């Protein structure tokens, strides 16, 4: 809850990064030093507070984003710890949609890794101000300045170094704060709780002065007061400098860079100070934008506890069979037992209970207001991305975008009598996770589950067995293909039929043309017939969107096609149904003439492997029809990027392990569809 209702003293932040950069360890330390937990849990022991699912404890990775709250310097901080694995990118997407600020955690050895890039650009898309924390400075091969340079080169952000490490690898002993110009050293015996601010040791003074100058120079470019004082060599107060850095961070101009090593308990308290000093409160960011449902007119809601209530449901979870909905409140306040309106579904629902979450532990609360992130029980129909508001002053907030699943597996229950239970369980899991889909294949009768990757589906199958007690058999993954066309073609279709004693007639002429890859489908109306009513035009659009769901080659959805309506024929017996059917038939026949093509998902894979195994890894990728992009050196290892068809990447992790004696790692994410 916002302390004493003070929105200015609330911070809603997320911790984002590539897998294994240390996000959960950083969160664990934040909770410990802020007094929220009294024992630090370690990821490698399966004891981390935020990794509470059995699957997370076993694998030592974060799978689901967990919400918690703590206090620091009289401020309330709501934290979402997000997964770093590409298969769970939806968890990052929905967290960033509702957060005001983010901490990007980077490993000092790996620097900016592929998934860091993805999540950073997701944050950019939502205009989320960020600070960077360079972690693991004690690791062999740690290079602070290389990691900073990668933030500049790979992420297109301007890093602002606020701290320098005092030594690297085994010589790392503390950090230099360039804002206060002090050295900070931690007490090993007190688990890093106690630390001292001391004068900067002589051997680090020259570097500290040089980077302090660079800091002032960079900030003065963005702030007139600092520029004036810097040029006239006047003393710049710490508070003035902090305020200037805060302004540039919130305006997305600069990214303050902190450093430390979370596992050895160094660098966390200054990072907490950085959250308070530089990341925005709900009132520092622009008001949330939405539409008035009845008129479609754009409107905004200020972060104000006294205003009309508006909130976004950003995550749904099944909790012992009951549905729990996580919501971010943007304006107004709400109490347990209140009725809230869901404008997307046009229904009222009652808030049976409000809960403040700490990972999977909860605390019942009576009310919540603007700036809060809470969980609600009793919202039976609210889904991820739904708006909740008051019925008399409704607003429809922008929903959350989801990636489409790229990999499918056939599942069946081991016991025939578990079929209904399986369907019910899959329904609950797809309510929780919008990137997980399931369907029954009409032709084969198989239950097909689709997700973002092999690990994603493995976790789903594991949860079916553990949480829902449904044991399943799985078939080989099926790749989700797409279809498109390669040339333009025209087709005229006349539909004339008697159905249930009534005549139906519609004539339609269309042209289909290929669009560039990734441009989706488009409909354009070039018909000049004045008699074509809006109802018939809607029926044509409907018929087209239905026809686009299955192509002419193998029945896969059709993408990247522009359909132009050229002409129509009408009689007194013309109706909407006839136009809908005629359009669907015309589209199918036009695509048939337009040299249809099967497309398959192409993945962007990044492989990290020691140099001596490069030859074998490249030849393996070549046999998989991979196109090698660039190869860059990252200290002891080589990073290789390649575009590879998804159908050739099944079981790749096993091949990579055997080709690199278990030392190679890879990540892959969907890139685009291309010719199969």
């Amino acid at each position: 809850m916002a302390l004493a209702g003070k929105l200015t003293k609330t911070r809603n932040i997320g911790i984002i990064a590539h897998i294994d950069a240390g996000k959960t360890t950083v969160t664990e330390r934040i909770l410990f030093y802020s007094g929220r937990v009294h024992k630090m849990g370690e990821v490698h022991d399966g004891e981390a507070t935020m990794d509470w699912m059995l699957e997370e404890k076993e694998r030592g990775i974060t799978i689901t984003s967990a919400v918690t709250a703590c206090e620091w310097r009289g401020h309330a901080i709501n934290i979402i710890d997000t997964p770093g694995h590409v298969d769970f990118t939806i968890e990052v997407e929905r967290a960033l949609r509702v957060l005001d600020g983010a901490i990007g955690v980077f490993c000092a050895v790996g620097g900016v890794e592929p998934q860091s890039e993805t999540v950073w650009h997701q944050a950019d898309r939502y205009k989320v101000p960020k600070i960077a924390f360079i972690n693991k400075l004690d690791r062999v091969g740690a290079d602070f300045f290389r990691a900073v340079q990668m933030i500049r080169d790979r992420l297109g952000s301007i890093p602002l170094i606020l701290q320098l490490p005092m030594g690297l690898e085994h010589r790392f002993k503390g950090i230099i704060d360039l804002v206060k110009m002090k050295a900070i050293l931690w007490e090993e015996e007190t688990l890093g709780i106690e630390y001292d601010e001391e004068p900067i040791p002589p051997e680090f003074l020259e570097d500290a002065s040089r980077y302090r100058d660079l800091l002032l120079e960079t900030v003065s470019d963005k702030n007139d007061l600092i520029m004036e004082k810097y040029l006239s060599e006047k003393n710049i107060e710490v508070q003035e400098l902090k305020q200037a850095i805060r302004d540039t961070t919130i305006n997305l101009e600069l990214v303050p860079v902190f450093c430390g090593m979370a596992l050895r308990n160094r660098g966390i308290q200054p990072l907490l100070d950085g959250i308070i000093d530089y990341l925005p409160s709900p009132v520092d960011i622009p008001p949330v934008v939405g539409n008035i449902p009845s008129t479609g007119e754009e409107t905004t809601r200020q972060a104000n506890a006294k205003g009309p209530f508006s909130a976004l449901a950003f995550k749904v979870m099944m909790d012992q069979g009951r549905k729990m909905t996580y919501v971010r409140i943007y304006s107004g306040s709400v109490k347990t037992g209140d009725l809230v309106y869901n404008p997307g579904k046009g229904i009222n629902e009652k808030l049976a209970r409000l809960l403040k979450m700490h990972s999977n532990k909860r605390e019942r609360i009576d009310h919540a207001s603007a700036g809060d992130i809470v969980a609600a029980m009793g919202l039976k129909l609210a889904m991820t991305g739904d708006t909740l508001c008051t019925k008399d002053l409704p607003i429809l907030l922008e929903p959350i975008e989801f990636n489409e699943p790229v990999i499918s597996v056939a599942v069946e229950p081991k016991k025939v009598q578990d079929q209904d239970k399986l369907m019910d369980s899959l329904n609950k899991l797809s309510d929780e996770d919008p990137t997980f889909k399931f369907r029954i294949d009409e032709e084969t009768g198989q239950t097909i589950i689709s997700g973002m990757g092999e690990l994603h589906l493995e976790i789903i199958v594991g949860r079916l067995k553990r949480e829902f007690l449904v044991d399943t058999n799985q078939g080989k993954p099926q790749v989700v293909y797409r279809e498109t066309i390669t040339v333009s073609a025209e087709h005229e279709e006349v539909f004339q039929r008697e159905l249930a004693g009534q005549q139906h007639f519609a004539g339609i002429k269309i042209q289909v043309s290929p669009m560039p890859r990734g441009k989706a489908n488009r409909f354009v109306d070039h018909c000049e017939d004045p008699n074509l009513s809006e109802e018939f035009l809607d029926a044509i659009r409907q018929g087209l969107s239905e026809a686009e769901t299955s192509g002419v080659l193998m029945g896969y959805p059709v993408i990247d096609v522009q359909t132009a309506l050229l002409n129509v024929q009408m009689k007194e017996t013309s109706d909407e149904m006839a136009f809908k059917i005629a359009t669907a038939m015309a589209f199918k026949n036009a695509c048939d003439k337009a040299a249809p093509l099967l497309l398959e998902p192409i993945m962007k894979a990044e492989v990290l492997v020691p140099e001596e195994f490069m030859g074998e890894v490249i030849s393996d990728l070549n046999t998989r029809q991979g196109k090698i992009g660039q190869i860059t050196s990252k200290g002891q290892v080589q990073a290789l990027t390649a575009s590879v068809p998804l159908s050739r990447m099944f079981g790749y992790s096993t091949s990579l392990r055997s080709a690199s004696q278990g030392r190679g790692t890879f990540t892959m994410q969907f890139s685009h569809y291309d010719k199969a």
Side-chain angles (χ1 to χ4, degrees):
M1 297 286 297
L3 293 185
K6 285 188 182 166
L7 277 167
T8 50
K9 292 203 164 186
T10 301
R11 299 287 180 274
N12 289 316
I13 61 150
I15 299 195
I16 59 173
H18 188 85
I19 193 165
D20 220 19
K23 293 178 301 302
T24 304
T25 306
V26 168
T27 312
E28 210 61 37
R29 300 306 185 265
I30 286 175
L31 296 176
F32 179 69
Y33 295 127
S34 62
R36 189 71 179 83
V37 297
H38 302 296
K39 171 182 173 284
M40 285 186 272
E42 302 299 2
V43 177
H44 51 262
D45 298 332
E47 295 292 322
T49 310
M50 305 301 276
D51 287 352
W52 56 271
M53 282 172 78
L54 263 171
E55 283 85 355
E56 295 180 313
K57 289 179 187 295
E58 281 173 6
R59 294 167 193 267
I61 61 168
T62 304
I63 290 167
T64 178
S65 52
V67 180
T68 187
C70 64
E71 286 178 23
W72 187 255
R73 280 173 34 193
H75 289 66
I77 305 175
N78 293 314
I79 302 170
I80 301 184
D81 174 31
T82 66
H85 197 287
V86 64
D87 284 15
F88 310 108
T89 183
I90 173 61
E91 294 289 337
V92 186
E93 187 78 34
R94 54 181 165 197
L96 288 169
R97 172 67 179 79
V98 297
L99 291 170
D100 305 329
I103 301 171
V105 179
F106 301 96
C107 165
V109 183
V112 176
E113 294 166 283
Q115 189 59 8
S116 314
E117 242 176 292
T118 306
V119 295
W120 193 269
H121 295 317
Q122 280 174 301
D124 283 341
R125 199 168 71 239
Y126 289 121
K127 296 187 166 53
V128 176
K130 300 170 283 294
I131 59 181
F133 181 71
I134 313 267
N135 191 23
K136 305 191 179 185
L137 286 165
D138 56 325
R139 290 268 297 274
V140 175
D143 188 336
F144 173 75
F145 294 107
R146 182 173 150 276
V148 171
Q149 191 56 42
M150 286 175 85
I151 292 174
R152 186 184 298 279
D153 298 341
R154 284 200 171 187
L155 305 178
S157 299
I158 303 175
L160 182 70
I161 297 174
L162 301 189
Q163 296 179 345
L164 291 177
M166 292 163 70
L168 288 169
E169 299 180 353
H170 64 281
R171 296 185 301 280
F172 176 75
K173 54 183 179 188
I175 61 176
I176 292 164
D177 183 334
L178 297 174
V179 176
K180 295 181 182 169
M181 282 304 270
K182 292 274 190 212
I184 305 176
L185 299 165
W186 277 265
E187 303 281 345
E188 195 69 57
E189 301 74 51
T190 64
L191 286 176
I193 292 174
E194 289 176 22
Y195 57 98
D196 301 309
E197 287 188 0
E198 297 176 359
I200 298 168
E203 68 268 30
F204 295 109
L205 208 48
E206 191 187 327
D207 272 357
S209 304
R210 192 165 90 247
Y211 280 98
R212 162 82 175 185
D213 269 352
L214 183 64
L215 164 66
L216 296 177
E217 219 173 279
T218 314
V219 175
S220 63
D221 272 354
K222 312 281 181 192
N223 185 290
D224 293 344
L225 173 73
I226 302 295
M227 178 179 272
E228 200 180 303
K229 288 200 161 189
Y230 178 60
L231 291 176
S232 55
E233 295 184 6
K234 286 184 188 160
N235 181 41
I236 297 169
E237 298 292 331
V238 168
Q239 213 37 54
E240 288 174 334
L241 183 54
K242 281 186 175 177
Q243 187 57 48
I245 296 168
R246 179 181 177 78
D247 294 341
T248 61
T249 308
I250 292 172
N251 295 336
L252 306 173
E253 294 171 312
L254 301 174
V255 175
V257 178
F258 294 78
C259 63
M261 48 177 192
L263 195 61
R264 303 268 178 278
N265 314 317
R266 290 177 193 170
I268 299 299
Q269 295 95 330
L271 179 65
L272 272 162
D273 288 336
I275 293 169
I276 304 301
D277 292 336
Y278 307 124
L279 286 179
S281 73
V283 293
D284 294 321
I285 55 168
V288 67
V289 177
N291 299 93
I292 297 168
S294 53
T295 62
E297 201 181 311
E298 197 172 277
T299 182
T300 59
R301 289 282 160 94
Q302 297 280 355
N304 181 351
K306 299 262 192 312
F309 172 69
S310 68
L312 187 78
F314 68 94
K315 184 177 163 84
V316 170
M317 269 188 77
M318 289 301 149
D319 180 68
Q320 295 160 356
R322 286 174 305 177
K323 189 167 168 182
M324 183 157 75
T325 311
Y326 284 83
V327 292
R328 157 75 199 258
I329 302 174
Y330 285 103
S331 62
S333 54
V334 70
K335 299 192 299 295
T336 302
D338 279 359
L339 275 183
V340 293
Y341 180 60
N342 182 331
K345 295 192 167 72
I347 48 163
N348 280 315
E349 292 203 82
K350 190 175 182 180
L351 292 172
R353 235 182 292 166
L354 286 172
L355 306 163
K356 183 176 170 183
M357 299 303 293
H358 173 50
S359 186
N360 63 332
K361 298 180 181 67
R362 65 196 57 179
E363 185 187 316
R364 286 180 78 155
I365 52 175
D366 298 325
H367 78 284
S369 60
D372 286 343
I373 292 176
V374 293
M377 304 292 270
L379 302 174
K380 292 188 178 69
L381 298 172
M383 303 297 283
T384 299
D386 281 2
T387 304
L388 304 172
C389 57
T390 51
K391 194 167 184 177
D392 49 349
L393 276 171
I395 183 173
L396 195 55
L397 302 174
E398 183 195 336
I400 301 171
E401 287 176 15
F402 312 121
N403 288 353
E404 284 300 310
V406 292
I407 176 173
S408 303
V409 172
V411 293
E412 60 178 32
K414 284 188 176 172
K415 298 179 189 150
V416 179
Q417 60 266 38
D418 278 351
Q419 183 63 34
D420 288 346
K421 201 171 164 188
L422 173 67
M423 286 297 127
D424 185 45
S425 310
L426 291 175
N427 256 318
K428 287 177 175 167
L429 287 167
S430 67
D431 280 356
E432 263 187 41
D433 180 353
T435 57
F436 168 68
K437 303 262 171 68
F438 74 97
R439 65 186 168 87
I440 300 205
D441 190 303
E442 288 176 12
E443 288 175 23
T444 63
Q446 284 181 310
T447 303
I448 308 288
I449 61 173
S450 307
M452 301 307 294
E454 287 181 80
L455 179 63
H456 188 194
L457 293 183
E458 215 176 285
I459 300 288
I460 294 281
V461 168
R463 288 186 63 194
L464 280 172
K465 187 174 178 178
R466 265 195 183 133
E467 290 172 40
F468 300 97
L469 309 174
V470 181
D471 227 341
T472 56
N473 295 320
Q474 298 90 50
K476 190 177 181 301
Q478 307 269 311
V479 176
V480 182
Y481 290 91
R482 294 283 182 267
E483 294 184 23
T484 192
I485 57 173
T486 49
V487 296
S488 294
E490 286 184 12
H491 184 79
E492 189 161 7
E493 187 72 43
V494 174
F495 174 79
Q496 188 166 9
R497 201 166 294 172
E498 186 178 320
L499 296 168
Q502 196 179 341
Q503 286 289 338
H504 298 271
F505 176 86
I508 182 166
K509 186 179 183 182
I510 61 168
Q511 180 188 43
V512 292
S513 323
M515 301 259 289
R517 221 35 82 246
K519 289 292 180 196
N521 292 332
R522 192 165 75 185
F523 172 71
V524 287
D525 178 12
H526 292 327
C527 178
E528 290 172 1
D529 191 326
N531 299 320
L532 181 62
S533 68
E534 199 55 50
E535 287 76 20
F536 286 171
L537 197 57
D538 277 349
I540 289 170
R541 283 198 184 97
Q542 238 178 342
L544 187 62
S545 64
E546 282 176 23
E548 285 167 351
T549 58
S550 68
V552 292
L553 287 174
M554 294 172 76
Y556 289 109
V558 179
I559 59 168
D560 302 336
V561 172
Q562 173 176 293
T563 307
L565 175 63
L566 303 179
N567 206 354
V568 292
Q569 296 175 42
M570 284 179 277
K571 290 183 180 175
E572 301 79 57
T573 55
S574 292
D575 61 3
E576 288 164 43
M577 184 184 83
F579 268 109
K580 199 168 150 184
I581 295 169
T583 306
M585 288 161 66
F587 181 76
K588 287 266 192 281
N589 289 323
C591 285
D592 230 346
K593 296 176 184 174
L597 177 72
L598 193 65
L599 299 173
E600 65 178 333
I602 304 293
M603 309 304 281
K604 178 188 172 192
E606 175 149 342
V607 186
L608 290 176
V609 66
E611 196 159 354
E612 61 263 36
F613 305 115
M614 275 297 276
E616 281 180 65
V617 169
I618 289 174
S619 70
D620 181 38
L621 285 170
N622 286 335
T623 60
R624 293 171 187 272
Q625 297 172 354
K627 288 183 186 143
I628 309 296
Q630 63 190 108
I631 299 171
T632 45
S633 176
K634 288 189 175 181
Q636 312 296 314
V637 295
Q638 299 287 319
L640 178 152
T641 56
S643 300
V644 199
L646 173 63
S647 57
R648 309 302 298 266
M649 286 301 275
F650 296 129
Y652 180 64
S653 48
T654 315
S655 304
L656 179 64
R657 282 190 200 117
S658 58
S660 63
Q661 294 176 7
R663 288 167 64 195
T665 59
F666 85 104
T667 55
M668 69 175 183
Q669 57 203 77
F670 173 71
S671 170
H672 61 283
Y673 277 97
D674 213 338
K675 185 178 172 183

